[in-house]
């Protein structure tokens, strides 16, 4: 028997480690990559371990989505005469125990790239070794694993553009088939714990429907429409042109090869139907598809950055001459968290986070800039808040996003480019539709007045939206203060 240890790959299809174990179950030479064939290794037992160390860093929305995904995955296995075996505790103890219980002599899993996960996996490897259990891990979560896209000198890239070009030019593997029912072990697992039993609460936010089928529906809907408008519309939070796949990619309810293949099919559809096979170089829809693929490349870029620099989780990627003297202002931090800053687009974003466990990318950039450059508060405070409330919180992407906004990251926003939250709101939400959706106090206000909120007098503000706060800081003053803070850190005179 073999064990497949599910972690951030809560799916059966397009799952490399699971497919390799399933192929080995029957000694399928071609799929195991063994030219001479191999002896059958026995059926695969799918396992999930609730690990306290991982749960310690989780938030309610993520635990909800994870439990729902596990439930969907379990149904998939049950429909094929198998089951998802669930256990709790330290994987270094639980996995050797499960291997003994089920007489399994091999454990496989897909790799995680964060420093903590790699330490855990090394410990699991040692523990299994002590029990004479074979173990093997596979690259699966991203298309091109760390170390496979480097500078000509073999170093990891610290600038996205060159990385992105190489990433795009590389051949992409096809999606991987799910295991056949006969390769899966006839086992039955205990019930999944409830969210309370795990020490969490049902979130106030509406967490998206979890599991592979809803993820595929999101992908399909996006590839039928939004992907063709992505380049022009992706920055506008109400244009419904983004995929909303981040939570699925984070928990692996859908495989990255499957996502990429769907984007290629979207390209083929317009090329074949409209031009008889010849791509029109001026077709903006092709640029849009490539722009979307480029976001998948950003995801992989940040995973590489995290892999080669595990310390970025808590430390700046980019060192300044001196420490950045962030301000510590609990009241302003709380106003930001509550969406009560008096900057409408910022507050709309922070409230979307609470109500949907999600925030649109452009707005993430705006609120992150506001925290670090207007409130001058350390990006780690923002990262911790996002980690708690985002369903799609992903160490590499969240960290990459925050350090980009804080001008401390790799290929980050230069410190002197500071978003003006009023003009950002006016540009990307000109009708204030997004703002009104999330900030009910402004629902009856005219868009023009919302975009002038910082210029209105207290009396005017009272007339327009009496319950909405005045701006808690003056953007122009804080912009100057932020420049001084960074110049001091740089050691400029
Ligand atoms: P789409 O626009 O449809 O993009 C498709 C996929 O590409 C996303 O699902 C995601 O996997 C990837 N992607 C898109 N943009 C980025 C990016 N800038 N960096 C890395 N990958 C990207 N993304 C997360 O997945 N988890 C996070 O915790 C996270 N935190 C962020 C924090 C900040 C401060 C910022 C500025 C960005 C953060 N992002 C994070 C990146 C981005 O905002 C989200 O991936 C995106 O908004 C998710 O929506 P979507 O799936 O509709 O994206």
């Amino acid at each position: 028997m073999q064990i497949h240890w599910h972690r951030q790959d809560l799916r059966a299809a397009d799952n490399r480690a699971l497919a390799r174990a399933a192929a080995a179950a029957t000694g399928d030479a071609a799929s195991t990559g063994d030219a001479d064939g191999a002896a059958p290794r026995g059926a695969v037992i799918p396992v999930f371990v609730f690990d306290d160390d991982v749960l310690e860093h989780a938030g309610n929305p993520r635990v909800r989505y994870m439990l729902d995904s596990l439930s969907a995955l379990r149904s998939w296995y049950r429909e094929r005469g198998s089951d998802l075996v669930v256990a709790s505790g330290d994987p270094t103890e639980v996995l050797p125990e499960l291997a003994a219980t089920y007489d399994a002599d091999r454990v496989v899993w897909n790799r995680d790239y964060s420093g903590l996960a790699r330490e855990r996996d090394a410990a699991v490897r040692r523990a299994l070794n002590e029990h004479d259990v074979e173990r093997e891990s596979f690259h699966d979560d991203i298309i091109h694993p760390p170390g496979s896209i480097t500078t000509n000198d073999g170093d990891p890239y610290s600038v996205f553009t060159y990385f992105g070009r190489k990433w795009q030019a590389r051949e992409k593997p096809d999606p991987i088939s799910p295991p056949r029912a006969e390769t899966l072990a006839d086992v039955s697992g205990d019930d999944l714990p409830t969210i309370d039993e795990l020490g969490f609460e049902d979130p106030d936010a509406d967490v998206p429907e979890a599991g592979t089928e809803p993820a595929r529906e999101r992908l399909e809907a996006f590839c039928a429409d939004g992907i063709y408008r992505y380049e022009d519309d992706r920055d506008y939070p109400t244009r419904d042109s983004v995929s909303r796949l981040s939570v699925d990619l984070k928990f692996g309810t859908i495989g990255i090869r499957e996502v990429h293949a769907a984007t290629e099919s979207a390209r083929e559809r317009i090329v074949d139907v409209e031009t008889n096979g010849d791509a029109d170089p001026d077709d903006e829809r092709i640029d849009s598809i490539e722009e979307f693929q480029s976001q998948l490349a950003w995801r992989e870029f940040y995973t590489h950055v995290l892999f080669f620099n595990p310390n970025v989780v808590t430390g700046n990627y980019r060192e300044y001459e001196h420490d950045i003297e962030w301000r510590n202002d609990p009241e302003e931090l709380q106003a930001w968290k509550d969406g009560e800053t008096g900057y409408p687009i910022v507050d709309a974003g922070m409230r979307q986070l609470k109500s949907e466990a999600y925030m649109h990318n452009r707005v993430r950039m705006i609120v992150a800039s506001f925290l670090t450059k207007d409130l001058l508060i350390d990006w780690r405070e923002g990262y911790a808040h996002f980690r708690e409330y985002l369903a799609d919180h992903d160490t590499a992407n969240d960290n990459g996003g925050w350090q980009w906004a804080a001008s401390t990251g790799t290929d980050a926003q230069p410190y002197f480019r500071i978003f003006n939250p009023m003009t950002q709101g006016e540009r990307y939400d000109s009708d204030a539709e997004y703002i009104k959706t999330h900030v009910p106090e402004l629902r009856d206000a005219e868009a023009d007045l919302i975009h002038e909120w910082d210029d209105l007098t207290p009396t005017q503000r009272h007339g327009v939206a009496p319950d909405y706060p005045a701006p808690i800081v003056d953007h122009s003053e804080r912009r100057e203060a932020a420049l001084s803070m960074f110049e001091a850190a740089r050691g400029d005179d």
Side-chain angles (χ1 to χ4, degrees):
M1 295 272 239
Q2 310 171 78
I3 286 176
H4 171 77
W5 178 23
H6 280 284
R7 298 114 57 89
Q8 288 193 41
D9 56 335
L10 302 183
R11 69 184 181 280
D14 198 22
N15 184 323
R16 184 164 278 135
L18 181 61
R20 293 291 285 269
T26 51
D28 179 339
S31 330
T32 53
D34 181 346
D36 299 327
R41 299 297 307 257
V44 183
I45 307 158
V47 162
F48 184 84
V49 181
F50 291 95
D51 177 347
D52 290 340
D53 285 347
V54 175
L55 286 171
E56 196 188 322
H57 303 288
N60 295 332
R62 273 187 291 145
V63 176
R64 180 70 274 154
Y65 185 87
M66 178 185 74
L67 280 173
D68 293 349
S69 301
L70 286 169
S71 175
L73 182 60
R74 152 162 287 181
S75 301
W76 191 91
Y77 283 122
R78 285 186 172 169
E79 283 158 19
R80 285 154 186 82
S82 186
D83 203 354
L84 182 68
V85 171
V86 292
S88 298
D90 179 348
T92 60
E93 291 165 13
V94 172
L95 287 165
E97 279 165 21
L98 287 172
T101 307
Y102 290 99
D103 200 17
D105 60 3
R106 183 174 188 234
V107 179
V108 301
W109 63 82
N110 291 312
R111 291 186 195 164
D112 277 357
Y113 300 107
S114 78
L116 275 181
R118 282 156 67 200
E119 278 171 28
R120 176 201 59 200
D121 292 353
V124 168
R125 230 174 274 128
R126 284 193 296 275
L128 290 169
N129 193 32
E130 279 165 21
H131 290 80
D132 279 336
V133 179
E134 228 181 87
R135 65 261 151 231
E136 201 172 349
S137 62
F138 297 88
H139 288 297
D140 170 82
D141 183 48
I142 55 177
I143 295 176
H144 301 299
S148 66
I149 295 186
T150 59
T151 64
N152 293 342
D153 292 336
D155 296 324
Y157 276 108
S158 53
V159 176
F160 174 75
T161 318
Y162 304 110
F163 175 95
R165 269 188 218 135
K166 280 195 183 169
W167 186 94
Q168 191 63 269
R170 290 275 161 91
E171 201 178 327
K172 302 286 180 286
D174 290 331
I176 305 164
S177 300
R180 292 194 312 272
E182 62 270 25
T183 62
L184 301 171
D186 179 7
V187 287
S188 64
D190 292 339
D191 287 344
L192 289 170
T194 63
I195 195 161
D196 307 332
E197 283 164 355
L198 289 176
F200 292 84
E201 288 169 21
D202 253 324
D204 296 330
D206 290 329
V207 173
E209 209 188 331
T212 300
E213 283 319 310
R216 283 183 168 155
E217 282 163 22
R218 283 189 271 278
L219 177 63
E220 203 177 314
F222 173 68
C223 286
D225 173 28
I227 197 167
Y228 298 120
R229 301 183 278 116
Y230 189 76
E231 191 171 34
D232 282 347
D233 289 356
R234 62 183 288 257
D235 272 323
Y236 299 84
T238 55
R239 290 197 187 169
D240 200 18
S241 72
V242 291
S243 70
R244 299 287 291 241
L245 282 169
S246 46
V247 69
D248 305 299
L249 288 168
K250 191 259 155 9
F251 284 97
T253 48
I254 198 159
I256 188 63
R257 290 156 297 274
E258 186 171 334
V259 173
H260 189 270
T263 67
E264 285 300 311
S265 300
R267 185 207 301 265
E268 281 157 23
R269 264 197 306 279
I270 51 175
V271 169
D272 287 351
V273 171
E274 293 178 15
T275 63
N276 253 344
D278 292 327
D280 172 359
D282 295 330
D283 190 336
E284 287 175 2
R285 292 171 302 172
I286 301 284
D287 295 340
S288 264
I289 294 169
E290 287 174 4
E291 182 64 31
F292 177 74
Q293 291 173 337
S294 166
Q295 303 314 309
L296 301 180
W298 268 103
R299 172 176 176 266
E300 308 216 346
F301 176 67
Y302 282 142
T303 303
H304 288 215
V305 168
L306 177 64
F307 179 85
F308 290 108
N309 309 276
N311 52 323
V312 293
V313 177
T314 49
N316 293 342
Y317 174 90
R318 187 191 153 178
E319 287 306 331
Y320 283 84
E321 193 67 25
H322 309 289
D323 285 348
I324 302 172
E325 297 292 339
W326 301 108
R327 284 174 65 248
N328 175 19
D329 188 319
E331 272 180 33
E332 288 182 8
L333 175 61
Q334 195 57 45
W336 177 82
K337 288 182 179 177
D338 292 342
E340 296 279 353
T341 66
Y343 281 90
I345 191 83
V346 173
D347 294 340
M350 298 308 293
R351 297 192 201 184
Q352 183 185 27
L353 175 63
K354 290 256 176 88
S355 64
E356 297 180 23
Y358 173 86
M359 196 190 303
H360 183 274
N361 179 60
R362 167 59 49 180
V363 192
R364 290 187 205 208
M365 287 157 61
I366 298 170
V367 305
S369 176
F370 189 81
L371 185 78
T372 53
K373 310 271 175 73
D374 281 80
L375 302 186
L376 283 66
I377 290 177
D378 195 330
W379 63 265
R380 281 160 277 234
E381 296 281 0
Y383 175 80
H385 185 71
F386 271 30
R387 188 173 70 171
E388 186 176 350
Y389 285 95
L390 277 175
D392 67 20
H393 162 75
D394 170 88
T395 308
N397 290 351
D398 212 355
N399 189 271
W402 273 101
Q403 295 227 37
W404 179 88
S407 303
T408 58
T410 162
D411 209 357
Q413 173 92 310
Y415 77 93
F416 48 83
R417 284 198 54 206
I418 296 179
F419 282 170
N420 179 327
M422 297 309 296
T423 48
Q424 287 283 316
E426 193 171 6
R427 184 173 317 155
Y428 295 108
D429 188 31
S430 55
D431 299 341
E433 191 185 334
Y434 175 79
I435 291 171
K436 290 183 185 195
T437 303
H438 296 287
V439 184
E441 303 96 294
L442 292 172
R443 207 156 273 167
D444 297 326
E446 280 175 35
D448 291 356
L449 296 173
I450 292 176
H451 295 312
E452 285 168 17
W453 189 253
D454 61 336
D455 275 343
L456 301 183
T457 63
T459 317
Q460 287 169 321
R461 275 199 282 265
H462 187 77
V464 174
D467 299 327
Y468 185 66
I472 57 168
V473 293
D474 178 299
H475 171 69
S476 310
E477 280 172 18
R478 287 302 176 90
R479 185 178 177 282
E480 293 307 317
L483 290 174
S484 304
M485 179 180 80
F486 278 100
E487 277 155 13
R490 282 161 52 90
D492 294 353
D493 290 330

